Amino acid sequence: MLEALNAASPMPGLFPDLYNRRIGAAMEREARENDRAQQEASHVATATARTNIVERAYREAFRLEEREIAEKEQLETIERKLSDPK
């Protein structure tokens, strides 16, 4: 990177230590930010997995409740038919 800067401008050649420190610091920041991004991606993946599990459980509970309501209605209909005198 420093060689590219030297080719574009003579200033890095005048203060090589300063430019080297800045480049090193920028590379360290990049590595830290990449680590943080990977950690955040891991957290997002975990949260997404948990959300999917909760969503599946909700849908299953909803279907079970609907089935129970339908069965109850069927039993009530049968009871009414049996109790009606003809």
Side-chain angles (χ1 to χ4, degrees), residues 10-22:
M11 290 299 285
L14 296 175
F15 305 102
D17 290 340
L18 175 66
Y19 280 89
N20 283 335
R21 279 196 312 261
R22 298 287 261 173

Side-chain angles (χ1 to χ4, degrees), residues 39-71:
Q39 289 174 354
E40 184 63 23
S42 174
H43 292 308
V44 168
T46 301
T48 300
R50 286 181 181 154
T51 300
N52 290 340
I53 290 169
V54 169
E55 185 178 348
R56 271 187 255 126
Y58 171 79
R59 277 192 251 125
E60 183 179 331
F62 183 77
R63 282 193 295 266
L64 180 62
E65 184 179 359
E66 289 291 313
R67 190 176 326 130
E68 288 173 356
I69 290 170
E71 288 173 358

Side-chain angles (χ1 to χ4, degrees), residues 75-86:
L75 285 173
E76 288 173 355
T77 302
I78 292 170
E79 286 175 356
R80 270 189 257 121
K81 285 184 180 182
L82 290 175
S83 65
D84 282 343
K86 290 191 177 187

Side-chain angles (χ1 to χ4, degrees), residues 20-38:
N20 283 335
R21 279 196 312 261
R22 298 287 261 173
I23 290 169
M27 292 175 79
E28 288 175 14
R29 277 194 313 275
E30 178 186 27
R32 271 195 319 269
E33 293 303 318
N34 283 338
D35 288 343
R36 289 177 63 192
Q38 287 175 350

Side-chain angles (χ1 to χ4, degrees), residues 1-10 12 23:
M1 288 179 75
L2 190 56
E3 289 175 12
L5 286 172
N6 282 332
S9 169
I23 290 169

